[in-house]
Amino acid sequence: MSSERLKTNLSGFILDNPIIPASGTFGFGYEFNDYYDINILGSISIKGTTIQERFGNPCPRIAETASGLLNAVGLQNPGARAVVEEELKKLAKIYRKKVIANISGFSLEDYVEASKILNQAEEVAILEINISCPNVHGGGLSFGTSSKLAAEVTESVKKVTTKPVYMKLSPNVTDIVSIAKACEAAGADGISLINTLMGLRLDLRKRKPILANRTGGLSGPAIFPLALRMIYDVRTKTDLPIIGMGGVSSADDAIEILMAGANAVQVGAANLINPLACKEIIENLEKALDKYNLSSVEETIGIANPEYLKRKNNRA
Amino acid sequence: MRQYRLLRNELIAKDTYDCLLESDRDCLLHLPGQFLAVKIDGFYLRRPISICEEFMCEGKCCTRLIYKVFGAGTETLSRLQSGQVDIIDGLGRSFSLESANDKNVILLGGGVGVPPLYYLAKELGERAKSLTICLGFKTAEEAFLYQEFERLADEVLLSTDDGSLGEKAVVTELAEREFKRKDIFVYSCGPLPMLKDLKRRMDLHHIDGEFSLEERMGCGFGACMGCTHKMKTGKKRICKEGPIFSLADLNW
């Protein structure tokens, strides 16, 4: 039985605790269910779904970095229809809570069509829209690097769903706050950040990139300070619910992300290194709250962010 | 994850280490072809290393690995002499032992692909009609384990690139000479070019077998899709549906 101290609220979706495995690091949960009962998780952000089935990129898809890894998996997934008709039904047999459906696309139509389908799934509480993908119709620049495109995706997806829409932002931008504000103005119900940072590793023996895709997304503890800075900055300028992530591997890290201003915390790469990562973080969370004299997750949200705190307390 | 005690970690050939780990398990866990995901201090991703042998020793389960120092991670691993090693175990789909029943079995290993075949040779027991081992190394300096194989097989054929040990030949050629016999089944592990050459020769003679494949991995236990290959029967994770694949499934 989970403590009341750990509860958090994402647009009316009440989570027992703020810990959510990040999309792409948890599959549909089955592999982790071999190690622990995944029902302890606050929620799960399922593998990124696209309208069409995708094989993803050729291997190698993984390269190690200092305190992290690059991945170029390429959104391997069975396609939105199969996710709703098969995967989510299968998952519901072992995972009793609602999930966050992560949606990717390479054109506006992709996002809209996939969102329409995921909107039908009763197992889904929130749509998390990944705008780090390159826009193939727009010369390959990602939707997330343009306020205008980010707003367009937000508005178009909002039209086709009744579920809360959280925009998952790319950090590969000059000013993530302006992207977040553009999404907010376009009707986003929440912001999810950060996605991976674009990186490269070379194979010294072969004299070429390790990844078949050339570049990949960097995640892991290496990106934690970057993620924190961006979460903090976005929180300073918005009161929207925020799901924060980027290199979290301990309960203290989770507290840090909450203090910067997040309402919930996704844990990604840590799951690959330690299948028990989320379980350990959840189990240590109350002790961590005690250590830092925090009464609850709710109290912790944005407590290190004075501009936000002022607004939060004025509302209370 | 599971803590294993490091009992031994010794140099047995050029850049090649023979490592014995002990867990608290009171019975064997692994089958031939499976691997461990080994955490090394200072390195983020675990290293997937095939199991060379597993046996009970004074009531504890002992797992033997033979690995080559390839990069900074394995270099660091090779310098450990004692202490705990953090391991995710029980990984991968094993070789099918049943495929060896009443067959003339050939185990073909190249370089660092040799160790998992040792456990397979041990566990095959009396299933096979005959057991022939073909081992290929770059040079005599880099050769290992062949004497131990001699105790398990009817015949051990050795080749090196430079002829410093055994025959100067590619190991796949040694195996192909055996292909005129009937009811052959081949298990193999080694560098991709060797496996591709072997498959080509096996296809010519309509011979069936199982290969152990490798790929750079993220998690090692099937969660991240970092090691997915396209096989004839669909998308397969090298760490989960593999590393062992039957010849018929290979898309080469």
Side-chain angles (χ1 to χ4, degrees), chain A residues 9-310:
Chain A
N9 182 344
L10 293 174
S11 307
F13 175 36
I14 311 292
L15 284 70
D16 291 337
N17 65 70
I19 306 304
I20 303 166
S23 178
T25 68
F26 216 70
F28 288 95
Y30 307 112
E31 292 77 20
F32 291 89
N33 208 45
D34 287 344
Y35 293 98
Y36 63 92
D37 179 6
I38 60 173
N39 284 286
I40 62 168
L41 300 165
S43 183
I44 299 174
S45 179
I46 60 171
K47 173 71 197 182
T49 306
T50 49
I51 183 68
Q52 300 289 0
E53 175 181 3
R54 283 178 61 85
F55 173 75
N57 290 325
C59 280
R61 295 175 169 183
I62 304 286
E64 185 176 63
T65 69
S67 298
L69 73 150
L70 298 180
N71 98 77
V73 171
L75 294 170
Q76 177 185 330
N77 80 96
R81 223 165 284 279
V83 167
V84 168
E85 289 166 14
E86 291 155 31
E87 296 297 339
L88 288 176
K89 300 273 170 277
K90 250 171 67 186
L91 181 60
K93 297 204 171 104
I94 57 166
Y95 187 65
R96 294 183 291 272
K97 304 179 189 177
K98 295 203 176 183
V99 302
I100 296 172
N102 181 291
I103 294 169
S104 287
F106 300 92
S107 69
L108 210 55
E109 299 70 48
D110 281 355
Y111 283 108
V112 167
E113 292 311 308
S115 298
K116 274 188 196 162
I117 294 170
L118 268 305
N119 181 53
Q120 297 162 20
E122 56 178 5
E123 299 91 353
V124 172
I126 291 174
L127 300 188
E128 181 182 60
I129 311 298
N130 167 22
I131 51 175
S132 288
C133 307
N135 177 4
V136 295
H137 293 327
L141 261 185
S142 94
F143 289 90
T145 58
S146 151
S147 293
K148 179 166 171 288
L149 287 177
E152 261 177 46
V153 177
T154 309
E155 198 182 321
S156 306
V157 167
K158 276 296 288 178
K159 286 200 182 113
V160 299
T161 182
T162 49
K163 298 188 198 284
V165 172
Y166 281 44
M167 301 307 290
K168 183 169 175 181
L169 304 185
S170 163
N172 301 301
V173 295
T174 317
D175 178 8
I176 200 169
V177 176
S178 65
I179 312 285
K181 292 302 282 179
C183 293
E184 180 173 20
D189 300 289
I191 305 288
S192 207
L193 78 167
I194 55 171
N195 208 322
T196 55
L197 289 143
M198 193 176 288
L200 173 72
R201 290 302 311 262
L202 299 178
D203 184 324
L204 301 182
R205 285 184 177 91
K206 297 182 182 168
R207 303 175 181 177
K208 59 177 196 170
I210 291 179
L211 301 171
N213 189 55
R214 199 182 72 96
T215 55
L218 177 67
S219 43
I223 72 171
F224 186 68
L226 276 147
L228 253 174
R229 188 260 300 174
M230 293 190 172
I231 291 163
Y232 189 103
D233 283 355
V234 168
R235 173 47 89 213
T236 304
K237 300 295 186 199
T238 184
D239 292 334
L240 283 182
I242 290 175
I243 305 177
M245 72 199 87
V248 173
S249 48
S250 66
D252 272 21
D253 288 346
I255 301 271
E256 204 168 333
I257 297 264
L258 293 168
M259 277 199 181
N263 301 70
V265 180
Q266 286 190 12
V267 175
N271 294 306
L272 275 59
I273 306 314
N274 175 11
L276 299 174
C278 283
K279 173 178 193 280
E280 288 169 2
I281 291 171
I282 291 167
E283 285 171 356
N284 290 327
L285 211 45
E286 266 198 83
K287 257 193 313 223
L289 287 176
D290 290 339
K291 184 159 68 156
Y292 299 108
N293 298 311
L294 298 159
S295 64
S296 64
V297 162
E298 220 293 305
E299 185 198 358
T300 312
I301 297 167
I303 205 171
N305 193 319
E307 275 190 57
Y308 170 70
L309 205 58
K310 206 160 55 173

Side-chain angles (χ1 to χ4, degrees), chain B residues 189-202:
Chain B
C189 184
L192 192 61
M194 182 205 84
L195 293 176
K196 288 192 166 173
D197 183 46
L198 178 60
K199 179 172 189 293
R200 192 183 52 80
R201 296 175 195 251
M202 286 169 68

Side-chain angles (χ1 to χ4, degrees), chain B:
Chain B
M1 284 313 302
R2 191 167 280 268
Q3 301 302 320
Y4 279 61
R5 265 177 305 283
L6 180 63
L7 301 181
R8 171 188 85 218
N9 197 12
E10 55 186 22
L11 183 72
I12 58 166
K14 179 165 180 276
D15 298 328
T16 310
Y17 287 78
D18 189 340
C19 167
L20 192 62
L21 299 158
E22 179 192 74
S23 75
D24 280 328
R25 291 187 191 278
D26 58 5
C27 59
L28 301 185
L29 173 69
H30 298 102
L31 291 170
Q34 291 194 291
F35 66 97
L36 306 180
V38 182
K39 186 83 177 78
I40 302 171
D41 269 345
F43 295 88
Y44 194 65
L45 293 178
R46 291 175 181 266
R47 271 37 180 180
I49 303 178
S50 282
I51 288 158
C52 175
E53 196 184 354
E54 192 162 89
F55 52 89
M56 294 306 294
C57 188
E58 283 161 27
K60 299 264 175 72
C61 179
C62 283
T63 309
R64 181 184 184 195
L65 309 176
I66 293 179
Y67 63 93
K68 205 162 172 148
V69 168
F70 191 71
T74 39
E75 162 77 52
T76 302
L77 179 62
S78 74
R79 287 191 250 111
L80 295 179
Q81 284 308 303
S82 64
Q84 311 270 59
V85 185
D86 183 319
I87 284 174
I88 302 176
D89 58 15
L91 301 178
R93 200 175 69 93
S94 58
F95 286 113
S96 123
L97 298 177
E98 303 72 48
S99 299
N101 292 350
D102 298 319
K103 292 276 179 13
N104 290 311
V105 169
I106 300 175
L107 304 189
L108 188 146
V112 76
V114 167
L117 297 175
Y118 183 70
Y119 195 23
L120 179 59
K122 274 191 89 184
E123 294 302 297
L124 280 176
E126 303 302 310
R127 289 171 183 272
K129 205 165 15 173
S130 75
L131 183 59
T132 305
I133 318 281
C134 301
L135 304 177
F137 302 98
K138 287 209 190 78
T139 66
E141 261 196 309
E142 298 184 49
F144 57 89
L145 216 51
Y146 51 93
Q147 281 143 330
E148 294 186 51
F149 268 110
E150 263 152 32
R151 280 178 247 138
L152 300 171
D154 295 302
E155 196 178 17
V156 178
L157 305 170
L158 288 175
S159 73
T160 43
D161 291 352
D162 63 358
S164 51
L165 180 70
E167 206 179 311
K168 181 169 196 254
V170 285
V171 64
T172 46
E173 203 190 292
L174 297 190
E176 193 171 17
R177 290 181 208 148
E178 305 295 311
F179 288 175
K180 53 187 173 308
R181 289 149 70 193
K182 290 220 300 267
D183 298 326
I184 292 187
F185 194 86
V186 176
Y187 298 91
S188 186
C189 184
L192 192 61
M194 182 205 84
L195 293 176
K196 288 192 166 173
D197 183 46
L198 178 60
K199 179 172 189 293
R200 192 183 52 80
R201 296 175 195 251
M202 286 169 68
D203 285 345
L204 275 172
H205 297 266
H206 307 290
I207 289 177
D208 198 10
E210 279 187 346
F211 288 179
S212 177
L213 301 187
E214 57 180 359
E215 184 53 79
R216 282 180 189 263
M217 293 176 184
C219 63
F221 54 89
C224 73
M225 310 295 166
C227 61
T228 306
H229 282 202
K230 206 177 273 179
M231 299 291 180
K232 289 225 171 86
T233 54
K235 304 186 266 244
K236 299 289 158 79
R237 294 163 288 187
I238 302 297
C239 70
K240 190 80 176 174
E241 286 78 37
I244 310 304
F245 291 96
S246 81
L247 214 74
D249 212 7
L250 300 173
N251 230 344
W252 304 333

